[in-house]
Amino acid sequence: MEEPGFRVLLTESGDRKSEAIRAIRTVTGVSLWNSKLLLNSAPVAVTEPDWLEAAQAAAGVLEASGAHAAVVCDWCDRIVTRGGGPLDPSTVQPAPAQRSG
């Protein structure tokens, strides 16, 4: 069975914007300009799906800078609590289908 991916969602910029921009650059490797655009676009996903540990580490870097971040499971779109273990796939319900229009 394939492992789920986890992405980091920047939910709020926080009060220390310059530190948050540097943290986004550290986590993503994008330019200063693009980091600022991401910060101003919150809530926004700042990483591609990755291992749980890597996503939690990236969220920790963002949180340490004063920004607010969450780790989201790609399978079920649930937020994973920081420091929590992997999800049990047998208990995960798929996210409801979104309607267009």
Side-chain angles (χ1 to χ4, degrees):
M1 177 153 64
E2 188 178 326
E3 295 287 322
F6 297 89
R7 53 189 150 68
V8 177
L9 180 70
L10 177 69
T11 57
E12 291 182 42
S13 60
D15 294 335
R16 304 181 326 229
K17 290 190 178 198
S18 60
E19 289 180 43
I21 290 169
R22 284 194 296 269
I24 292 170
R25 287 189 73 188
T26 300
V27 168
T28 64
V30 300
S31 69
L32 177 66
W33 175 258
N34 287 329
S35 296
K36 187 175 180 181
L37 288 176
L38 282 172
L39 185 68
N40 292 331
S41 299
V44 63
V46 293
T47 65
E48 295 293 321
D50 205 348
W51 295 102
L52 177 61
E53 294 81 12
Q56 287 182 332
V61 169
L62 293 171
E63 294 270 336
S65 75
H68 300 276
V71 176
V72 180
C73 175
D74 267 3
W75 277 2
C76 61
D77 282 331
R78 289 193 309 184
I79 294 176
V80 178
T81 57
R82 295 270 321 267
L87 300 176
D88 180 2
S90 64
T91 63
V92 174
Q93 303 261 335
Q98 296 180 358
R99 294 185 202 171
S100 61

